């Protein structure tokens, strides 16, 4: 295994910068996402937008994932910390496939975590420490690469046989420097185990994957405070107020539909976001988000967390702390 991982480190620089394709930085400061409870926060001021990243051109990763590089040139910057990268595969129809499954073969990771969410279709995972699993619709795989792992990701055998709509995303979450060499870990989280919480205004719901919302904590275990929510706003015009810790980075991504980010400055002050657009919210500017659905059936991914404040060196799928 040591020789395999050593080889992985050598070849890592040739692997695509996609989130599907190892992260290293040398504090045992393991912290559950439950430590961040937005349910106890007082909404006093609305957060403003620091920057909007518009939808980028998609590209293929392997032969199974046509993805949008959501963070684009902002990837691996402190503005996103503890998140590093984000690839999103928008809904796409795949025909029946009776040949080899489509996807990405063996590739290494180290020093960070990959978070894969299946919205539609199925992703089959296998890795060098013996973990295997199928991420079904609504499910999440939270893989800690830690000191090093090699894995592969393909359309599942069953999905390949029947074909259908495929939609998913993968995020990279950095590990604190004292956890870079932690043992690899695999969290397979089924849809039924992810709590769905009503937004108090009746605007929609929040599926809490990590962190907490409305006093409900998500199932994912994390090494630093992280929030990861799958948000549904069914009706155009619905307004959602979402508490979010002021000193944490906060990112709003539109899967489908659209939202206006309201700053509360005046009735017309809004930053519109369309499909695959991203708003990087300004830290310390407020302790809540106010979002107004610009279309029916709007779906968002809202994420963020406590910045690690650790300089990053990222030679492709390896992320290291600068010394």
């Amino acid at each position: 295994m040591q020789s395999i991982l050593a080889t992985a480190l050598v070849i890592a620089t040739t692997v695509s910068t996609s989130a599907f394709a190892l992260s290293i930085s040398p504090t045992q400061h393991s912290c559950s996402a439950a430590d961040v409870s937005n349910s106890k926060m007082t909404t006093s001021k609305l957060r403003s937008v620091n920057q909007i990243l518009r939808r980028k051109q998609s590209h293929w990763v392997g032969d199974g994932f046509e993805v949008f590089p959501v963070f684009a040139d902002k990837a691996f910057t402190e503005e996103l910390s503890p998140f590093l990268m984000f690839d999103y595969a928008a809904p796409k129809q795949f025909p029946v496939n009776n040949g080899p499954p489509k996807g990405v073969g063996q590739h290494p990771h180290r020093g960070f975590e990959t978070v894969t969410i299946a919205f539609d279709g199925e992703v089959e995972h296998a890795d060098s420490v013996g973990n295997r699993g199928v991420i079904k619709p609504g499910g999440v795989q939270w893989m800690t690469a830690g000191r090093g792992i090699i894995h592969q990701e393909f359309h599942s055998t069953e999905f390949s046989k029947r074909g259908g709509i495929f939609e998913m995303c993968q995020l990279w979450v950095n590990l604190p420097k004292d956890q870079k060499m932690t043992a690899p870990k695999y969290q397979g989280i089924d849809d039924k185990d992810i709590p769905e919480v009503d937004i108090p205004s009746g605007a929609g719901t929040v599926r809490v994957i990590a962190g907490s919302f409305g006093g409900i904590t998500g199932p994912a275990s994390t090494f630093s405070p992280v929030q990861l929510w799958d948000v549904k706003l069914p009706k155009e015009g619905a307004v959602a107020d979402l508490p979010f810790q002021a000193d944490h980075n906060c990112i709003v991504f539109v899967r489908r539909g659209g939202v206006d980010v309201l700053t509360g400055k005046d009735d017309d002050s809004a930053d519109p976001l369309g499909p695959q657009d991203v708003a990087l919210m300004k830290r310390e500017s407020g302790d809540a988000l106010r979002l107004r659905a610009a279309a029916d059936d709007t779906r968002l991914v809202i994420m963020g967390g406590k910045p690690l404040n650790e300089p990053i060196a990222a030679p492709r799928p390896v992320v290291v702390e600068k010394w």
Side-chain angles (χ1 to χ4, degrees), residues 34-74:
D35 293 341
V36 184
S37 176
N38 53 28
S39 64
K40 297 180 181 179
M41 291 164 47
T42 300
T43 302
S44 59
K45 186 178 179 183
L46 299 180
R47 288 182 79 144
S48 57
V49 174
N50 186 47
Q51 185 177 2
I52 292 177
L53 309 179
R54 298 299 181 190
R55 170 178 171 159
K56 303 299 182 183
Q57 181 64 44
S58 65
H59 65 272
W60 283 89
V61 178
D63 60 359
F65 309 107
E66 183 182 9
V67 302
F68 292 92
V70 174
F71 293 157
D73 59 0
K74 286 291 181 180

Side-chain angles (χ1 to χ4, degrees), residues 28-37 113 142 176 179 185 187 209-212 217-227 245 248 305-306:
Q28 189 113 10
H29 172 65
S30 181
C31 178
S32 167
D35 293 341
V36 184
S37 176
E113 301 181 289
W142 199 296
Q179 296 295 331
K185 185 174 73 169
Q187 299 177 71
I209 297 169
S212 61
T217 299
S221 171
T222 67
F223 286 84
S224 67
V226 170
Q227 304 285 341
Q245 191 158 328
H248 285 193
K306 183 178 181 180

Side-chain angles (χ1 to χ4, degrees), residues 197-206 213 231-242 291 293:
V197 184
D198 290 335
I199 297 171
S201 64
T205 60
V206 174
F213 179 81
V231 178
K232 302 176 184 178
L233 303 177
K235 296 297 182 181
E236 181 180 357
V239 176
D241 284 344
L242 308 173
L291 306 173

